[in-house]
Amino acid sequence: MVKVGDVLFLFVDDTTPPKKKYFFVLGESEGQISLASFYVNSDINLNIHNNPVLVKFNIELDPTDYPFLHHKSYLDCTKMIIRDKSEYDDIVKVRPEAIVYTLTSEQLEFFRQIIREVPTIKGKIIKKFGFYDREYCFKINKAILE
């Protein structure tokens, strides 16, 4: 049900304070057990991202390209949040409106290329979620287009 390229808007309890947030699903583990997700923020938190390398991995999102947004926002690519796929499949089954957008294949590949370069995410984690697998990327892009 939830697939790579989906953007969800749901209440999350791993933020301070807990709140509804947008997050992009940009990867999936082999066997479709876990999802790799990344939060959208209104601003770059310079208390956390206090170095230019980390700031550059907060990607500006323009509402003209992402119509679910109400103002300029940022995708924080420095921190991957791993989620249980079946849990989110169950949520979306009951609340399909939680999926607010599906990335185009170009948007998805753009973000996946960035994630491969992020110094705060270990290579084995990036590999586990298919960011290096060209065949996997091709399959995902094909599924999005269908």
Side-chain angles (χ1 to χ4, degrees), residues 57-76:
F57 290 107
N58 281 263
I59 309 305
E60 187 175 309
L61 304 173
D62 189 308
T64 57
D65 298 321
Y66 302 92
F68 58 91
L69 294 173
H70 305 290
H71 52 80
K72 179 175 69 173
S73 299
Y74 298 86
L75 183 69
D76 182 356

Side-chain angles (χ1 to χ4, degrees), residues 1-2 10 86-99:
M1 181 136 334
V2 177
L10 289 169
S86 64
E87 178 183 341
Y88 284 85
D89 283 346
D90 290 344
I91 291 169
V92 168
K93 208 177 289 181
V94 176
R95 295 187 34 226
E97 71 277 4
I99 298 176

Side-chain angles (χ1 to χ4, degrees), residues 6 21 23 46 48 79 81 114 118 121 128 144-145:
D6 285 345
K21 286 197 66 88
F23 56 91
L46 295 176
I48 295 172
K79 185 177 180 194
I81 298 92
I114 289 168
V118 174
I121 304 174
K128 176 181 177 177
I144 287 173
L145 294 174

Side-chain angles (χ1 to χ4, degrees), residues 5-54:
D6 285 345
V7 177
L8 288 87
F9 185 61
L10 289 169
F11 184 85
V12 293
D13 56 12
D14 59 350
T15 61
T16 306
K19 59 188 159 241
K20 285 183 94 172
K21 286 197 66 88
Y22 292 106
F23 56 91
F24 286 27
V25 176
L26 298 178
E28 185 176 74
S29 66
E30 195 172 311
Q32 301 177 328
I33 295 168
S34 303
L35 302 170
S37 66
F38 297 83
Y39 283 135
V40 174
N41 297 314
S42 298
D43 295 300
I44 299 172
N45 184 339
L46 295 176
N47 293 324
I48 295 172
H49 302 293
N50 55 4
N51 117 16
V53 172
L54 295 181

